[in-house]
């Protein structure tokens, strides 16, 4: 344990699987007390149990990050059981697949509710607590898709571009409160979300190979992004705010 996050109290949304779960594990291993927020109780509690078994400090809060009431309740529990948070990783997200003409209004709205509005709702609840704690770091999950026009992902790509610019606005506003805000932009990562997308394709193997070939370093793993999140949450990045941190396997260099 390197204690890069010693004395940090962190909230990670969407932490029951994938990048969120791996980030929760690494945050705890680096000394942070971690609050896992997710709608999936069974998987969220399992992640918390694994962290506790490894000697880490954590709690699981069932929370729909599109619901302001649930967010307020979860934030209150964090302050009661762990203390004032000084790290927030807005990781929760979904991916709506489909061409512009085929996506329903309901799916479009849900894409933005989970990927963008949740950042507004959770940050609105947590920033006053973070200010009381003396400052901290917010990480907003964006994507390589904020910079690449994938034709089958107009809802997803546009939502992630919104996250990048929302982050810049937040960074400028909250610098005076000693709150840094950065976005994290992963490349294609081997998560369940990605595997679910691949499984929907007519020729999954061909699509997987095509996507892998688009990234000079290939498809990444959750820990590749979780370590980047550790850096953004730590004091090592204390002079960094408003920045999109690209961890995308080289796709944007092509």
């Amino acid at each position: 344990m390197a204690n890069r996050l010693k004395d940090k109290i962190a909230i990670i949304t969407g932490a029951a699987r994938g990048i969120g779960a791996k980030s929760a594990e690494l945050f705890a291993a680096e000394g942070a007390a971690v609050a896992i927020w997710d709608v999936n109780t069974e998987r969220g509690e399992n992640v918390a149990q694994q962290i506790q078994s490894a000697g880490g400090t954590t709690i699981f809060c069932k929370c729909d990050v599109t619901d302001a009431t649930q967010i307020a309740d979860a934030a209150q529990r964090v302050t009661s059981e762990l203390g004032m948070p000084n790290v927030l990783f807005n990781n929760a997200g979904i991916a709506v697949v489909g061409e512009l003409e085929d996506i329903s209004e309901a799916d479009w709205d849900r894409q933005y509710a989970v990927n963008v509005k949740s950042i507004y709702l959770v940050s609105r609840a947590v920033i006053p607590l973070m200010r009381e704690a003396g400052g901290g770091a917010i990480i907003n999950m964006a994507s390589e898709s904020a910079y690449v026009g994938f034709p089958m992902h107009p809802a997803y790509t546009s939502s992630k571009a919104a996250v990048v610019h929302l982050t810049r606005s937040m960074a400028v506003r909250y610098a005076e409160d000693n709150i840094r805000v950065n976005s994290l932009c992963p490349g294609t990562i081997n998560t369940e979300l990605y595997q679910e997308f691949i499984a929907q394709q007519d020729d999954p193997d061909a699509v997987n190979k095509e996507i892998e070939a688009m990234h000079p370093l290939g498809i990444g793993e959750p820990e590749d992004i979780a370590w980047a999140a550790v850096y953004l949450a730590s004091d090592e990045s204390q002079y960094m705010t408003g920045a999109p941190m690209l961890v995308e396997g080289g796709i944007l260099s092509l």
Side-chain angles (χ1 to χ4, degrees):
M1 184 177 292
N3 287 326
R4 294 169 68 189
L5 301 181
K6 183 181 179 182
D7 299 326
K8 304 291 187 186
I9 297 173
I11 295 169
I12 304 177
T13 69
R17 65 176 188 170
I19 293 168
K22 181 56 66 173
S23 296
E25 293 173 10
L26 292 185
F27 277 35
E30 291 294 334
V34 182
I36 296 165
W37 290 15
D38 206 286
V39 292
N40 191 317
T41 299
E42 182 178 357
R43 298 193 66 162
E45 289 182 341
N46 183 57
V47 173
Q49 186 176 47
Q50 290 178 6
I51 290 172
Q52 290 166 354
S53 297
T57 300
T58 186
I59 60 172
F60 169 72
C61 302
K62 183 174 183 180
C63 181
D64 180 343
V65 291
T66 67
D67 186 314
T69 299
Q70 291 187 38
I71 291 168
D73 290 343
Q76 176 58 43
R77 188 175 166 206
V78 171
T79 60
S80 297
E81 298 187 29
L82 298 179
M84 291 296 176
N86 48 21
V87 174
L88 169 61
F89 185 6
N90 285 308
N91 167 73
I94 61 171
V96 171
V97 180
E99 294 186 11
L100 188 70
E101 297 169 82
D102 299 327
I103 298 172
S104 69
E105 285 190 50
D107 282 344
W108 183 276
D109 289 344
R110 176 148 180 78
Q111 179 73 91
Y112 271 77
V114 177
N115 286 15
V116 185
K117 187 177 180 181
S118 70
I119 294 176
Y120 146 67
L121 290 174
V122 175
S123 299
R124 184 180 68 172
V126 173
I127 284 173
L129 306 176
M130 193 173 284
R131 186 184 291 120
E132 188 172 341
I138 297 175
I139 307 162
N140 294 330
M141 181 60 87
S143 169
E144 66 182 8
S145 298
Y147 301 93
V148 180
F150 293 111
M152 291 298 293
H153 292 78
Y156 181 78
T157 58
S158 58
S159 73
K160 291 304 186 179
V163 171
V164 170
H165 288 281
L166 172 59
T167 298
R168 289 182 172 127
S169 293
M170 293 171 65
V172 173
R173 168 60 184 86
Y174 295 107
E176 65 184 42
D177 296 306
N178 195 33
I179 297 173
R180 300 181 297 102
V181 191
N182 294 291
S183 59
L184 182 52
C185 303
T188 300
I189 305 300
N190 185 28
T191 62
E192 289 183 37
L193 190 65
Y194 175 68
Q195 293 300 329
E196 290 166 3
F197 163 72
I198 289 297
Q200 296 171 15
Q201 307 308 305
D202 294 334
D203 189 342
D205 288 340
V207 173
N208 185 69
K209 289 179 181 177
E210 179 183 357
I211 294 174
E212 185 172 16
M214 294 169 62
H215 300 73
L217 294 181
I219 294 171
E221 296 295 330
E223 55 262 35
D224 296 323
I225 309 307
W227 280 120
V230 167
Y231 171 73
L232 292 176
S234 76
D235 294 339
E236 297 167 12
S237 58
Q238 63 182 355
Y239 195 57
M240 186 174 178
T241 197
M245 187 174 185
L246 302 171
V247 190
E248 33 67 295
I251 186 174
L252 297 178
S253 298
L254 295 175

